[in-house]
């Protein structure tokens, strides 16, 4: 009861702050989507459409109050709109219409909102606020899970987080992926945050959060989590300038992991090697084979939730029906056909290119050092999400689509700065924007000859 | 107890970040530009005139107190 009232107060606070600054409605939407207060609260919030209210408020307040420095209509944004359009069109020939409509209802909104995010999140402060809200919203679920794992050990299929059941962050694979993917952002915030106080306590808190997130990953007993940790380790090894030290730290962490985990965890991870005999892994392979064959005969896809019609035959002759895709790529291929898969893969490629371009421009400018580091962190986050996504069906999950969106936000930020700097003679020093400091161009300010905000300012 | 800690930690930081972002976003300029563009020779800049009034340049508007240069407020005009 008290928890429900407290969460209602938090929700109302975000609505109140949104009335002061419209971009907070977008932060509120992200919080509602990732923290899922409607699932955590017992009354009131569980009975009202929290996300719908925040979403409508975010759109409405942007259009009426905040249309300054809008981004270009980027490739990423166009691809998201195409995806929203295409997933609506495939409803026409959906194999399981009722289930398809139910999934379309939330997936469509998430895609559309992700396309909208770059319009609202434009400045450095807003980009960082978005990322921190992303991290802290996930932390609500990850902290209890990770801390319980540290105290008593985790377990496959155990409900240790705030959200129970096998949906949302209650699903182990999704929780493990979310936990690993937020680590690069938490570590980025440790070095470059202008919103969090610059104290040793903040650094300790963010390191602690990352460690707990890794424990939560291990505690799920998900093989996807192990893959995510490996990608994270490889990513930091490549990025590191002191590779021997990084390798030593990695080795120590690995030894700690082996020491801490139970034999049950080891046995579960060992099944990766015997994928052709282990039921879960074998089922995935057979489902993927079915999906590929289905897509050859139905290149335009079978609409949302079409896995419900699959028929999987095991080598021993046993037959099962309606096994889920367990891969975002095969989910996209089966549901949206080759068109949907192409759009999704293009989204990944465009996001990665935006980050590379942003990093290439920002790395030589001290004032934009944070952009270069953020591009690195987002690239690693993207790699974790997309590699882990090969084993869980999360194509339309917020954490994936919001990552595409924030890549666009960063890319557009750097492009605006780049465009502003083009007319300047090379070699001139850059002014302002030291860590947390002042930049020369005022918020929403206009400069003749530079970018003209096409809003109504 | 740990669930409660998770809820309190997460929500407290979300509210803190939102509040701090509002404060900083009002006062901190959005994009850095090179020095040469930040401080051009004012004499070389033509004064734009609209409706018989001299339109204040972005630099002048930047000197206004933070509450007057709030982007979402100005965006309403």
């Amino acid at each position: 009861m008290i928890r429900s009232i407290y969460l209602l107060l938090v929700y109302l606070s975000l609505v109140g702050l949104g009335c002061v600054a419209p971009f907070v409605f977008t932060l509120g939407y992200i919080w509602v989507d990732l923290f899922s207060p409607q699932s955590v609260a017992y009354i009131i919030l569980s009975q009202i459409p929290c996300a719908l209210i925040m979403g409508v408020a975010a759109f409405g307040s942007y259009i009426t109050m905040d249309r300054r420095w809008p981004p270009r209509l980027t490739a990423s944004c166009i691809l998201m709109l195409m995806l929203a359009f295409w997933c609506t069109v495939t409803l026409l020939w959906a194999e399981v219409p009722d289930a398809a409509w139910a999934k379309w209802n939330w997936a469509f909104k998430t895609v559309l909102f992700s396309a909208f995010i770059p319009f609202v999140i434009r400045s450095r402060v807003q980009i960082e606020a978005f990322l921190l809200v992303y991290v802290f919203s996930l932390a609500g679920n990850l902290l209890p899970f990770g801390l319980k794992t540290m105290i008593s050990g985790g377990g496959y299929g155990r409900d240790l987080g705030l959200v129970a059941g096998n949906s949302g962050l209650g699903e182990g694979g999704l929780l493990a992926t979310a936990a690993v993917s937020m680590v690069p952002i938490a570590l980025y915030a440790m070095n470059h945050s202008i919103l969090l106080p610059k104290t040793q306590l903040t650094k300790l808190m963010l390191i602690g959060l990352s460690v707990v997130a890794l424990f939560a990953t291990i505690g799920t007993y998900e093989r996807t989590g192990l893959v995510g940790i490996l990608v994270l380790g490889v990513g930091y090894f490549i990025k590191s300038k002191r590779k021997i030290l990084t390798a030593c730290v990695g080795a120590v962490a690995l030894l700690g992991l082996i020491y801490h985990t139970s034999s049950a965890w080891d046995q579960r991870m060992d099944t990766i090697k015997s994928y052709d005999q282990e039921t879960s892994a074998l089922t995935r392979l057979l489902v993927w084979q079915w999906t590929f064959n289905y897509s050859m005969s139905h290149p335009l896809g079978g609409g949302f939730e079409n896995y419900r019609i699959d028929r999987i035959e095991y080598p021993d002759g046993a037959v099962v029906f309606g096994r889920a895709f367990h891969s975002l790529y095969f989910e996209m291929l089966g549901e949206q056909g080759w068109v949907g898969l192409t759009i999704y893969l293009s989204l990944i490629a465009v996001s990665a290119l935006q980050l590379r371009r942003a990093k290439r421009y920002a790395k030589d400018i001290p004032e934009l050092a944070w952009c270069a580091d953020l591009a690195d962190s987002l690239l690693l986050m993207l790699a974790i999400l997309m590699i882990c996504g090969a084993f869980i069906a999360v194509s339309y999950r917020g954490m994936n689509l919001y990552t595409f969106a924030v890549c666009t936000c960063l890319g557009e930020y750097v492009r605006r700065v780049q465009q502003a700097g083009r007319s300047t003679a090379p070699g001139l020093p850059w002014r302002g924007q030291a860590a947390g400091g002042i930049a020369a161009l005022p918020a929403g300010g206009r400069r003749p000859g530079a970018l003209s905000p096409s809003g109504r300012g | 107890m740990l669930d409660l800690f998770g809820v309190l930690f997460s929500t407290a930081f979300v509210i803190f970040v939102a509040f701090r972002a509002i404060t900083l976003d009002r006062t901190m300029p959005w994009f850095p530009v090179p020095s040469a563009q930040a401080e051009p020779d004012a004499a070389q800049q033509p004064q734009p005139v609209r409706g018989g009034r001299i339109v204040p340049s972005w630099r002048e508007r930047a000197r206004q107190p933070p509450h007057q240069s709030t982007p979402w407020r100005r965006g309403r005009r």
Side-chain angles (χ1 to χ4, degrees):
Chain A
M1 179 70 177
I2 292 173
R3 186 201 276 186
S4 306
I5 293 171
Y6 173 74
L7 287 174
L8 178 68
L9 288 176
V10 172
Y11 182 80
L12 292 176
S13 306
L14 286 170
V15 172
L17 290 173
C19 295
V20 179
F23 72 90
V24 177
F25 282 125
T26 301
L27 303 183
Y29 186 89
I30 302 303
W31 177 70
V32 169
D33 191 17
L34 298 177
F35 182 82
S36 197
Q38 62 275 34
S39 313
V40 180
Y42 303 111
I43 53 166
I44 308 173
L45 280 182
S46 55
Q47 287 146 10
I48 59 168
C50 317
L52 182 69
I53 294 170
M54 280 287 186
V56 169
F59 268 112
S61 60
Y62 170 74
I63 287 170
T64 55
M65 297 160 72
D66 194 19
R67 285 197 293 164
R68 300 191 65 78
W69 292 95
R72 294 171 306 165
L73 201 57
T74 56
S76 173
C77 190
I78 293 169
L79 285 167
M80 281 201 207
L81 292 176
M82 280 169 68
L83 185 61
F85 171 75
W86 183 249
C87 73
T88 308
V89 171
T90 56
L91 287 171
L92 293 173
W93 53 85
E95 299 275 10
V96 195
D98 290 343
W101 274 106
K103 184 171 176 182
W104 175 87
N105 190 31
W106 62 263
F108 180 77
K109 289 176 199 162
T110 312
V111 176
L112 216 57
F113 198 83
S114 304
F116 167 69
I117 286 170
F119 288 84
V120 186
I121 304 297
R122 292 150 289 178
S123 66
R124 176 181 181 178
V125 170
Q126 292 171 351
I127 291 172
E128 191 187 317
F130 181 89
L131 289 169
L132 287 178
V133 166
Y134 179 99
V135 167
F136 289 125
S137 300
L138 289 177
N141 255 287
L142 299 179
L143 272 179
F145 204 109
L147 291 172
K148 285 174 193 171
T149 302
M150 288 167 93
I151 294 166
S152 60
Y156 184 62
R158 286 183 69 187
D159 289 332
L160 299 178
L162 284 179
V163 180
N166 197 26
S167 64
L169 286 178
E171 204 261 312
L174 188 62
L175 185 82
T177 307
V180 190
S181 69
M182 62 161 255
V183 171
I185 301 302
L187 296 181
Y188 158 81
M190 200 175 74
N191 295 322
H192 292 284
S193 176
I194 52 174
L195 293 178
L196 297 176
K198 283 190 184 307
T199 61
Q200 289 298 323
L201 200 64
T202 307
K203 283 191 174 183
L204 268 177
M205 183 269 289
L206 289 167
I207 291 173
L209 188 59
S210 305
V211 171
V212 173
L214 291 178
F215 269 97
T217 309
I218 295 162
T220 59
Y221 280 49
E222 288 284 345
R223 290 161 296 192
T224 312
L226 183 66
V227 173
I229 291 175
L230 285 175
V231 177
L232 183 76
V234 170
Y236 274 109
F237 181 75
I238 292 170
K239 191 179 159 187
S240 168
K241 286 174 186 160
R242 287 177 287 186
K243 294 210 181 329
I244 295 173
L245 181 68
T246 311
C248 290
V249 170
V252 169
L254 190 68
L255 286 173
L257 182 74
I258 292 166
Y259 176 76
H260 184 269
T261 52
S262 63
S263 56
W265 190 86
D266 299 338
Q267 282 166 13
R268 172 91 181 137
M269 295 305 130
D270 266 349
T271 57
I272 290 178
K273 287 184 271 184
S274 54
Y275 63 89
D276 53 342
Q277 291 153 22
E278 201 264 331
T279 319
S280 168
L282 180 61
T283 305
R284 285 177 199 216
L285 290 175
L286 293 172
V287 171
W288 295 347
Q289 189 182 24
W290 176 87
T291 310
F292 183 78
N293 293 336
Y294 179 85
S295 71
M296 295 313 280
S297 56
H298 300 76
L300 297 181
F304 285 118
E305 303 276 307
N306 73 326
Y307 73 85
R308 290 170 190 243
I309 62 161
D310 66 15
R311 178 184 183 278
I312 306 302
E313 192 172 341
Y314 289 96
D316 62 2
V319 175
V320 290
F321 297 92
R323 297 307 298 256
F325 292 113
H326 287 295
S327 165
L328 69 85
Y329 304 105
F330 284 97
E331 179 188 27
M332 202 43 91
L333 180 63
E335 293 183 346
Q336 311 302 335
W338 292 98
V339 178
L341 183 65
T342 308
I343 295 173
Y344 206 86
L345 293 177
S346 307
L347 255 176
I348 299 169
V350 164
S351 302
L353 281 174
Q354 279 174 326
L355 293 177
R356 271 199 62 187
R357 201 178 303 135
K359 190 191 168 185
R360 202 167 51 217
Y361 180 75
K363 69 179 179 185
D364 297 326
I365 301 169
E367 288 81 2
L368 296 181
W370 69 273
C371 292
D373 268 11
L374 182 56
D376 266 344
S377 302
L378 284 175
L379 203 57
L380 185 53
M381 183 185 181
L382 192 66
I384 293 169
L385 288 174
M386 294 307 124
I387 292 173
C388 290
F391 309 104
I392 45 173
V394 289
S395 329
Y396 301 97
R397 287 286 167 192
M399 57 183 200
N400 280 16
L401 294 168
Y402 300 155
T403 305
F404 296 143
V406 80
C407 291
T408 308
C409 296
L410 181 68
E412 282 300 289
Y413 179 91
V414 172
R415 187 192 64 81
R416 286 170 180 129
V417 176
Q418 196 174 4
Q419 202 160 335
R422 258 186 205 147
S423 52
T424 309
L428 283 170
W430 282 66
R431 176 189 159 182
Q433 186 95 10
I438 306 297
L441 197 61
R446 271 186 206 177
R447 267 185 322 96
L451 287 175
S452 59
S454 56
R456 294 184 306 177
Chain B
M1 187 60 94
L2 288 173
D3 286 353
L4 183 65
F5 173 68
V7 171
L8 291 177
F9 177 91
S10 167
T11 50
F13 270 103
V14 166
I15 293 290
F16 172 77
V17 166
F19 191 77
R20 183 116 168 92
I22 291 174
T23 315
L24 269 186
D25 204 52
R26 285 182 168 201
T27 52
M28 239 185 100
W30 280 15
F31 310 108
V33 291
S35 317
Q37 284 198 327
E39 293 168 350
D41 184 2
Q44 290 175 4
Q45 296 289 321
Q47 289 277 46
V49 176
R50 192 187 298 153
R53 279 190 313 127
I54 292 175
V55 179
S57 70
W58 65 265
R59 210 176 305 106
E60 285 165 301
R61 278 185 276 146
R63 291 195 196 105
Q64 289 172 348
H67 69 276
Q68 286 181 29
S69 62
T70 309
W72 47 86
R73 295 266 177 244
R74 237 188 288 141
R76 250 193 312 202
R77 286 197 309 230

